[in-house]
Amino acid sequence: MDGPGAELLIGAVGPADLIPALERLAAQEFPELRLRTFVYDDEAETADLVQTGADVDGWLFTGVVPFSLARRTGVLRAPATYVRYRGTGLPRILGPLLADNPGTRSISIDTVPREQVQRLLRRVDLSPVHVRVLEHRPDRDAEDFLRFHRRVARDPGGSIAITCIRSVYTQLAPYLPTVRLLPAVASMRTALRAAASIPHGSAEGAADPVVGLVELSDPAGELARVVRGLAGEVVPLGGSRYLLFSTRERLVEVSSGFRELGVLDELRDGRVWGRIGFGAASTALAAERRARRALGRARAVGRFAAVVATTDDGELVIGSATPEYRETTGAPVPLAVAERRSGLEAAALLRLGQLAADRGGDGVTAADVATALGLDPRAARRTLQRLSAAGVVQLLDSAHTGKVGRPRKAYRVALQ
């Protein structure tokens, strides 16, 4: 951006029925933002859409599921935020919903944190209805939530599904009473406000204190060296936790405007996962309060995550040029590690490994994965994305199939 008055170009990613509401709110309340919209029919399209928006200043996703998919596949090159689903409408919709579906014995709810659901429904009489919740985690995608709802629907008695994910709603609604939760306007406003805090050439607040809270998987004796240039001071808090002190100007400079943070790559190279929550404010006390909230958000993002809070109600995930799990060396991944990272069972991974061995050096395609694992084409593409993020497969040069048209992507299977 050219200066403090310049517009920020934000890539807005989401389904066709949510993007217009985001655009209207941005136009009414955030004139400093210009949205470039990327509309998908299915969340699986997210990574491909993001790759077409290399010139944006930041990303705003209409939900945590497409955001997590984009981050896992390593396509984010700019700071990002997403609209949170808080489930505040649950108490209001459940009464009429149960009245319209008498005899219901189970309710399945996805994405919203379990503790939040329990708090919201504490005063709602749901006896004898059993509420089941599958909250979001960085390694879960739409297919996981779809299987969850279908599993609950097999419980004795009637079942109702409540989902935050459009593709899940589309697939469940024809045969199961299904309600789609939509984000509140307040949640959209919070996400837009966070996007508006992306650095864009203004010197305003440059000297404001920044407090960073660091969590590591193992003590890092060389942490002070790793964060050299970022923090003016590093204070051990015990165990593998540290406190950093810096300024907004230095954080913006070192992270290239919140686009990437080299300390995460250095930790990854040392096989140490790390999460950092940064808080920026006019006072150190307020900055520390924001840092604690940002660290909590980093825990929800993944093992290698840096989140910065420059406002009281929104956070930005600092971009990364490296996917969360992908091995930079391409070394084979042990079977047990591959299971944990990808969420696939060992038997499925072994079938995939055997298929790759049969194909020799040609690699496997989405069609091969669909055949080997008994998946439909869309599920096979999603599975490849998960395997790629887990470091189990690596993209090869395009595979020519002998047919006229666009070459299909082929992947090497790196399974030990």
Side-chain angles (χ1 to χ4, degrees):
M1 305 311 273
D2 297 325
E7 285 183 329
L8 279 167
L9 177 60
I10 302 298
V13 184
D17 57 348
L18 290 183
I19 288 295
L22 203 60
E23 288 181 301
R24 286 194 298 271
L25 189 61
Q28 292 167 2
E29 300 185 21
F30 298 90
E32 70 273 31
L33 298 182
R34 180 164 61 91
L35 299 191
R36 176 182 296 172
T37 58
F38 298 80
V39 179
Y40 59 68
D41 293 319
D42 186 283
E43 290 81 12
E45 303 166 21
T46 299
D48 288 339
L49 289 173
V50 169
Q51 287 181 299
T52 68
D55 59 337
V56 301
D57 297 299
W59 292 100
L60 197 166
F61 297 84
T62 58
V64 66
V65 170
F67 161 78
S68 294
L69 196 156
R71 192 173 189 280
R72 284 204 312 270
T73 51
V75 296
L76 289 177
R77 301 290 189 271
T81 189
Y82 57 88
V83 179
R84 294 186 216 160
Y85 286 72
R86 304 180 186 274
T88 52
L90 283 173
R92 184 182 68 255
I93 68 174
L94 278 176
L97 192 59
L98 292 172
D100 291 341
N101 297 274
T104 297
R105 291 293 176 267
S106 298
I107 296 175
S108 53
I109 303 173
D110 67 39
T111 307
V112 184
R114 181 178 288 102
E115 181 182 346
Q116 201 170 95
V117 171
Q118 291 171 344
R119 185 172 66 251
L120 288 167
L121 301 184
R122 199 162 288 154
R123 298 183 181 180
V124 179
D125 182 15
L126 293 175
S127 56
V129 179
H130 186 196
V131 177
R132 298 172 183 263
V133 180
L134 187 67
E135 57 190 5
H136 174 264
R137 281 195 335 217
D139 58 341
R140 286 178 177 155
D141 59 19
E143 285 294 320
D144 296 309
F145 293 120
L146 183 60
R147 285 193 293 269
F148 158 69
H149 289 294
R150 286 173 171 166
R151 187 168 61 250
V152 174
R154 292 195 291 268
D155 288 353
S159 177
I160 297 173
I162 300 178
T163 180
C164 301
I165 307 163
R166 177 177 173 172
S167 64
V168 172
Y169 173 82
T170 301
Q171 295 181 71
L172 290 177
Y175 74 92
L176 179 69
T178 307
V179 175
R180 181 171 166 224
L181 280 182
L182 298 176
V185 172
S187 295
M188 291 188 177
R189 183 178 291 114
T190 294
L192 286 164
R193 189 176 296 118
S197 70
I198 293 172
H200 61 296
S202 172
E204 183 179 355
D208 283 351
V210 164
V211 173
L213 290 170
V214 184
E215 283 184 346
L216 303 178
S217 58
D218 296 296
E222 297 188 7
L223 182 65
R225 179 189 61 80
V226 172
V227 299
R228 185 175 59 241
L230 166 64
E233 187 178 358
V234 180
V235 180
L237 296 179
S240 303
R241 302 179 71 247
Y242 300 84
L243 184 67
L244 310 180
F245 293 98
S246 187
T247 64
R248 182 184 175 103
E249 181 179 37
R250 183 177 291 185
L251 177 59
V252 169
E253 180 182 358
V254 170
S255 65
S256 301
F258 302 163
R259 300 185 79 86
E260 59 183 348
L261 198 63
V263 60
L264 293 181
D265 290 330
E266 292 206 39
L267 290 171
R268 183 186 286 106
D269 292 343
R271 297 298 188 266
V272 176
W273 62 252
R275 302 183 181 108
I276 309 176
F278 292 108
S282 58
T283 67
L285 184 62
E288 182 178 355
R289 185 175 64 248
R290 290 178 179 176
R292 293 185 187 281
R293 195 185 71 238
L295 180 60
R297 185 59 47 195
R299 294 181 186 125
V301 169
R303 295 188 176 192
F304 296 94
V307 176
V308 58
T310 59
T311 67
D312 281 336
D313 60 353
E315 303 88 28
L316 286 164
V317 180
I318 294 180
S320 174
T322 309
E324 179 182 351
Y325 291 128
R326 186 169 298 155
E327 298 285 346
T328 55
T329 61
V333 179
L335 182 61
V337 176
E339 277 189 284
R340 185 176 68 252
R341 290 179 178 177
S342 69
L344 268 66
E345 295 181 354
L349 291 166
L350 290 172
R351 286 200 301 274
L352 189 62
Q354 184 58 53
L355 173 65
D358 295 341
R359 292 290 304 272
D362 294 336
V364 297
T365 65
D368 297 326
V369 172
T371 301
L373 304 185
L375 302 174
D376 62 48
R378 183 168 57 186
R381 289 193 295 272
R382 288 173 173 165
T383 298
L384 272 173
Q385 289 171 342
R386 292 170 67 175
L387 291 168
S388 177
V392 179
V393 301
Q394 287 98 34
L395 183 64
L396 298 174
D397 293 334
S398 297
H400 291 273
T401 62
K403 298 179 181 179
V404 176
R406 189 177 181 179
R408 289 185 293 177
K409 292 180 179 178
Y411 298 80
R412 180 178 76 88
V413 178
L415 191 61
Q416 183 175 315

